[in-house]
Amino acid sequence: MTKATSKHHWIGLKQLLVATFSVIISLLMFASFPVSAKKLPAFQAKEAYVMDAKTGQVLYQKNANAKRPIASLSKLMTLYLTKQAIDHHQIKWNQKVPVDHELIKMSKDGTLGGFKITRSREFTVRQLYQAALIASSNSAAIALGKLVGGGNNTEFIYKMNQQAQKWGIKATFVSSSGLDNTDLAKYHYQVPHTTAKAQNMVSASAISTVAAHLLAIFPTITQWSSQSAMKVGKQWLANSNSLLKNKVYYRKSNHVDGLKTGYTINAGLCLTTTFWHNGRHLIATIIDSNSVFTSMDRLIQQIDQKNQLTTVKIPTHQFSIGGQTVVAKPESQQTAIWREHSNQHPKIISYSSNQQKLPVKKGNSVGYAKVALSHRNRVIKVPLLATKTIQPTKAKSSSAKAHHQSLLRTIGNVLLGVFEGFYKLMAKFAHFMAR
């Protein structure tokens, strides 16, 4: 074996060892082994949040509105905006994605990779979407964001923050992947005018809301997120969510079907989970937990045990919009609401309009009914939809009004002329008779 060949083999072996140890370290961080978990409280997390995916009702929260690092949970916003771009026919599932040299290099970094990309346009939008979701590929997420941003990473980050503002959630993004600038700068993906250590700062309630919007526009995403492994091309994507079937912390009764894990040194272990309870899709987020899967398991069981589902009927309501009466009906005739005690009774406490001017389009939301339990400790908003399209009353144009006034003046002048002529004629007749 030549010296060059020996060196080549050594470099290859070194890269393999680095990648292998990185995977092992990653698995150890997410394993939350039962032995060490026994030394921790049954539920341990710095921030936590549980909500109903459809109504947004909050079932549990702990420091849920504090903005903090969330690592790869950030990818949920990237996945939302990518799906939105697909729905708006801006990109397609089957189109090949351009990937620059820096992202290809990032994908081969064992500490940041998980899904290797060897050349540009090697994978489709669908394949990179799966890689970002399941294997938490940073290079895949950044490549998707760049595509949605028209080839501009900074433009995509702007879209992320703009969407957060539109939803009114507490979130500041500098990265489409969840990596902070200490890693992004190495690959020239630091957003201009951000600090050297800048990172995404998002609250548990905010990222749960992002997950709810993602489920709303892409409900079948759980067909991918529920898989413990998936093959893309010649690579296997390993899902680090240990609550899934065939994983260490799987529990059939929890009915977990996703959604995203995350970890950085600053963020700690993070997890946003989707699960079913009483036929409802719920979302739970835990941020910075040393026993993230044990704690999530306990949290799901607590939610299942302490919450009962009840329904309340929502009647149609009339709003006054633009001086006209608009009849609005609820999305569904009755809505679900969770309660902790059977003596808590839901009722409509108010109606609010979110539209002040006409036109109103049939089927569009024009307001909502606010439903609460006794003591108003749990509140949901039910959208109310217009039952028909109503256009504003057309005001007469100034030219038409002027024409109308001119016509009236003309008629008036004619009548006045006739009256004056008749008056003169009668005067002459009276003068003639007096002779």
Side-chain angles (χ1 to χ4, degrees):
M1 183 182 290
T2 66
K3 185 180 287 186
T5 305
S6 177
K7 183 178 181 181
H8 175 74
H9 281 289
W10 167 244
I11 292 172
L13 179 60
K14 185 178 179 181
Q15 290 177 338
L16 178 61
L17 288 171
V18 170
T20 302
F21 280 116
S22 298
V23 171
I24 292 172
I25 291 169
S26 177
L27 290 174
L28 287 172
M29 287 189 299
F30 273 103
S32 299
F33 292 114
V35 174
S36 60
K38 288 179 182 178
K39 300 177 183 179
L40 296 167
F43 175 76
Q44 186 267 334
K46 290 185 178 178
E47 289 85 23
Y49 190 76
V50 184
M51 65 180 286
D52 186 296
K54 186 172 183 180
T55 65
Q57 182 185 354
V58 182
L59 279 71
Y60 177 86
Q61 58 181 325
K62 176 185 177 183
N63 302 327
N65 294 317
K67 288 172 65 175
R68 55 160 294 116
I70 61 166
S72 284
L73 300 190
S74 307
K75 290 183 176 72
L76 293 173
M77 178 64 94
T78 299
L79 296 174
Y80 171 84
L81 291 173
T82 301
K83 182 57 168 63
Q84 184 185 64
I86 292 168
D87 291 345
H88 292 171
H89 308 292
Q90 296 165 352
I91 61 175
K92 297 178 180 178
W93 279 118
N94 293 325
Q95 76 179 77
K96 294 293 183 71
V97 181
V99 182
D100 62 41
H101 175 72
E102 293 296 327
L103 291 183
I104 291 173
K105 188 166 66 173
M106 180 190 290
S107 77
K108 296 176 181 178
D109 184 335
T111 61
L112 301 178
F115 181 75
K116 290 185 179 179
I117 303 171
T118 59
R119 64 183 184 277
S120 181
R121 302 184 189 279
E122 180 182 7
F123 297 104
T124 64
V125 169
R126 179 181 283 104
Q127 290 172 321
L128 292 187
Y129 199 101
Q130 292 167 339
L133 173 67
I134 298 171
S136 200
S137 169
N138 294 306
S139 50
I142 296 171
L144 288 173
K146 192 173 179 181
L147 179 68
V148 175
N152 189 316
N153 177 66
T154 301
E155 176 63 24
F156 182 73
I157 304 304
Y158 171 76
K159 286 178 179 290
M160 295 177 78
N161 288 297
Q162 189 178 46
Q163 188 63 67
Q165 290 176 5
K166 184 177 179 181
W167 288 333
I169 60 177
K170 294 183 177 181
T172 302
F173 294 98
V174 298
S175 162
S176 55
S177 63
L179 294 177
D180 58 42
N181 277 353
T182 57
D183 288 317
L184 293 171
K186 299 174 187 176
Y187 299 95
H188 309 291
Y189 268 92
Q190 179 177 339
V191 174
H193 311 299
T194 57
T195 63
K197 295 183 179 180
Q199 55 194 319
N200 293 344
M201 298 294 289
V202 186
S203 69
S205 61
I207 201 60
S208 299
T209 300
V210 174
H213 285 288
L214 177 58
L215 285 175
I217 67 169
F218 193 13
T220 57
I221 193 174
T222 55
Q223 293 178 7
W224 294 340
S225 66
S226 61
Q227 296 190 40
S228 57
M230 177 188 289
K231 193 173 185 181
V232 170
K234 296 181 180 180
Q235 299 182 62
W236 278 99
L237 307 177
N239 198 327
S240 57
N241 187 348
S242 291
L243 296 173
L244 299 175
K245 191 174 183 179
N246 301 321
K247 294 284 190 174
V248 176
Y249 286 90
Y250 172 70
R251 186 191 295 267
K252 186 177 181 180
S253 60
N254 283 348
H255 304 291
V256 172
D257 59 3
L259 188 58
K260 190 76 196 71
T261 59
Y263 172 79
T264 62
I265 294 175
N266 291 327
L269 295 171
C270 306
L271 178 64
T272 292
T273 296
T274 52
F275 64 102
W276 291 88
H277 178 44
N278 280 12
R280 304 287 296 184
H281 218 177
L282 303 183
I283 299 170
T285 294
I286 286 178
I287 297 177
D288 198 356
S289 170
N290 292 328
S291 59
V292 69
F293 295 116
T294 300
S295 293
M296 184 62 79
D297 178 51
R298 297 290 184 271
L299 182 58
I300 291 174
Q301 289 184 62
Q302 176 182 313
I303 294 298
D304 287 354
Q305 293 168 3
K306 291 187 176 182
N307 290 272
Q308 308 166 4
L309 190 66
T310 187
T311 58
V312 56
K313 290 185 177 180
I314 310 294
T316 58
H317 186 74
Q318 293 183 353
F319 291 107
S320 178
I321 301 175
Q324 296 198 46
T325 299
V326 176
V327 179
K329 65 178 182 180
E331 282 184 321
S332 56
Q333 292 184 340
Q334 61 182 22
T335 190
I337 189 167
W338 296 95
R339 59 184 180 181
E340 291 182 326
H341 308 290
S342 58
N343 60 353
Q344 293 178 317
H345 303 291
K347 63 178 181 179
I348 299 172
I349 58 174
S350 66
Y351 290 95
S352 296
S353 173
N354 56 17
Q355 186 165 338
Q356 306 300 324
K357 298 180 180 179
L358 297 174
V360 165
K361 188 176 181 181
K362 181 180 179 180
N364 281 5
S365 174
V366 292
Y368 58 85
K370 186 180 287 187
V371 182
L373 294 173
S374 306
H375 310 301
R376 302 187 181 185
N377 61 336
R378 291 190 174 188
V379 179
I380 61 172
K381 294 179 179 179
V382 181
L384 297 172
L385 315 179
T387 57
K388 66 178 182 179
T389 298
I390 300 178
Q391 299 290 346
T393 303
K394 292 184 179 180
K396 294 180 180 179
S397 66
S398 57
S399 60
K401 185 176 180 180
H403 176 73
H404 180 68
Q405 291 175 343
S406 177
L407 181 61
L408 289 177
R409 281 196 297 269
T410 301
I411 294 173
N413 290 335
V414 170
L415 290 176
L416 182 61
V418 171
F419 177 77
E420 288 180 347
F422 181 74
Y423 176 80
K424 290 179 180 179
L425 181 63
M426 291 301 295
K428 287 182 179 180
F429 179 75
H431 179 70
F432 173 78
M433 291 299 294
R435 296 170 70 180

